[in-house]
Amino acid sequence: MRGLFVTGTDTGVGKTVVAGAIAAALRARGEDVAAFKPAVTGLDDPPDPDWPRDHELLAAAAGTSSDAVAPHTFGPPVSPHLAAALAGTPLDLDALVAAVPPAGVVVAEGVGGLLVPLTEEHSVRDLAAALGLPLVVAARPGLGTINHTLLTLEAARAAGLAVAGVVLTPWPEQPDVMERSNAETIARLGDVEVTTLPRLAAGTPELLARAGGALPLDRWLETATSALPTLRGERVLLRPATPDDAPALAGILAEPEVAAWWPRFDLARIRAEAREGLAIVVEDAVAGWVLVSEEADPEYPQVAFDLFLTTRLHGRGYATEALRLLIRHYAGRGHHCFTIDPSAANERAIRAYRAVGFEPVGILRSHELAPDGTWRDGLLMDLVVHSPPPAA
């Protein structure tokens, strides 16, 4: 998925204006744009005569309907998880991910700040991680913004999210000493690009597009970010791994029962390749790693896994829970074929994968180089989640 996720340091800081400016500017230059907001609350409040509702503004900016932008709308001006509970229609993270409209570029906007709960278990940050889009942070230019913005950046990076930039808005025509200092300080202490968006007279697509055209959209869209999700189970957390996880992963790979089935990577290589997979976290400690290879072509809805887990947790169901979390997530993204290829001699791993539902389908001859320098066979296993093909 290509696009941007707009969040804010608080409610009412200009997220929708920033998201609308991005969407309108991209559309004005001919991009196929979809706008998305998981929920809109506060529709019971009187409307602003000069500004449309959030989902209406985003719909106009992207050239679509407000129903396509926001799958859930609520009357009370409260947190989305409470609004949904009061309405008797609790939100579901996987369903929200599946509701994102397909497009060449997706501009998603959160609700409130990153840690605002969407459900009893998941926050806006979890949605941003599941979508895997670079983050754009909307913030006020005035007093208090340094602390709020740096806390937001810290919360984002702790979850493995890539931050494309910060937008201070509404930026005055003649910023004072404090406002200019705020922008410089956030950029320096937050190690982030800071740009500004002026106050707009109205939320029309034309004004939004003109303002958005001055933003560094191409640079933001090119921001490297993990497309990997953050998933929480009863005992296991899966999150995008980072180079900081390398020492823990190296220690696990050095365990004899793990080293027997995995190549001997040095620390530099582990550090370089860690971010290609998910860290398996148990009781706040890195306990393993899983490589996820997702096929981008929708006509070949396949996902492949490869994982290792610390020996002390073998046989206790942690790998099973991790795989079930992954299968549920990627099935929700439209995939139905899952593969894994342990060594044909790794009986423990094969039993664990069978417990999830994987079945052997063939031998991969001389598939991997063993630690003793010989070549050994791999076992191709797959699991198919039966579902109807997408509509043409």
Side-chain angles (χ1 to χ4, degrees), residues 33-274:
V33 181
F36 176 75
K37 182 161 182 163
V40 175
T41 65
L43 296 187
D44 288 346
D45 287 345
D48 186 328
D50 298 321
W51 285 86
R53 307 279 194 181
D54 289 359
H55 56 317
E56 296 169 346
L57 183 148
L58 292 174
T64 185
S65 70
S66 58
D67 289 341
V69 170
H72 301 279
T73 56
F74 302 103
V78 296
S79 171
H81 83 296
L82 176 57
L86 293 173
T89 56
L91 305 179
D92 177 80
L93 181 63
D94 290 338
L96 291 175
V97 172
V100 176
V105 186
V106 173
V107 180
E109 181 199 343
V111 186
L114 276 183
L115 299 186
V116 166
L118 290 172
T119 73
E120 293 299 324
E121 297 84 21
H122 298 108
S123 66
V124 171
R125 181 171 67 175
D126 294 320
L127 175 62
L131 295 178
L133 299 175
L135 210 65
V136 174
V137 179
R140 297 183 179 92
L143 186 64
T145 195
I146 295 175
N147 183 60
H148 293 162
T149 306
L150 295 181
L151 284 173
T152 299
L153 296 178
E154 186 172 301
R157 289 163 176 162
L161 300 178
V163 180
V166 170
V167 180
L168 298 182
T169 187
W171 189 250
E173 291 184 6
Q174 296 182 333
D176 60 26
V177 171
M178 179 188 66
E179 289 161 335
R180 291 195 299 270
S181 175
N182 286 346
E184 185 277 329
T185 303
I186 291 169
R188 176 171 50 86
L189 297 182
D191 189 23
V192 66
E193 180 179 15
V194 175
T195 188
T196 62
L197 193 72
R199 185 181 299 277
L200 303 184
T204 65
E206 294 75 20
L207 289 177
L208 290 166
R210 189 180 309 158
L215 298 173
L217 301 179
D218 289 324
R219 192 155 60 248
W220 286 350
L221 288 168
E222 292 171 2
T223 300
T225 184
S226 172
L228 297 171
T230 296
L231 305 173
R232 286 182 172 85
E234 292 184 5
R235 302 184 299 163
V236 170
L237 166 68
L238 300 176
R239 60 160 174 78
T242 71
D244 291 340
D245 297 321
L249 297 178
I252 297 169
L253 284 169
E255 297 172 8
E257 289 189 39
V258 178
W261 307 109
W262 276 77
R264 297 186 183 277
F265 296 155
D266 60 27
L267 186 61
R269 181 175 175 185
I270 296 171
R271 192 180 300 278
E273 297 184 8

Side-chain angles (χ1 to χ4, degrees), residues 277-298:
L278 293 164
I280 303 172
V281 180
V282 176
E283 296 179 351
D284 297 325
V286 174
W289 183 78
V290 54
L291 176 66
V292 181
S293 301
E294 181 182 12
E295 173 58 61
D297 190 335

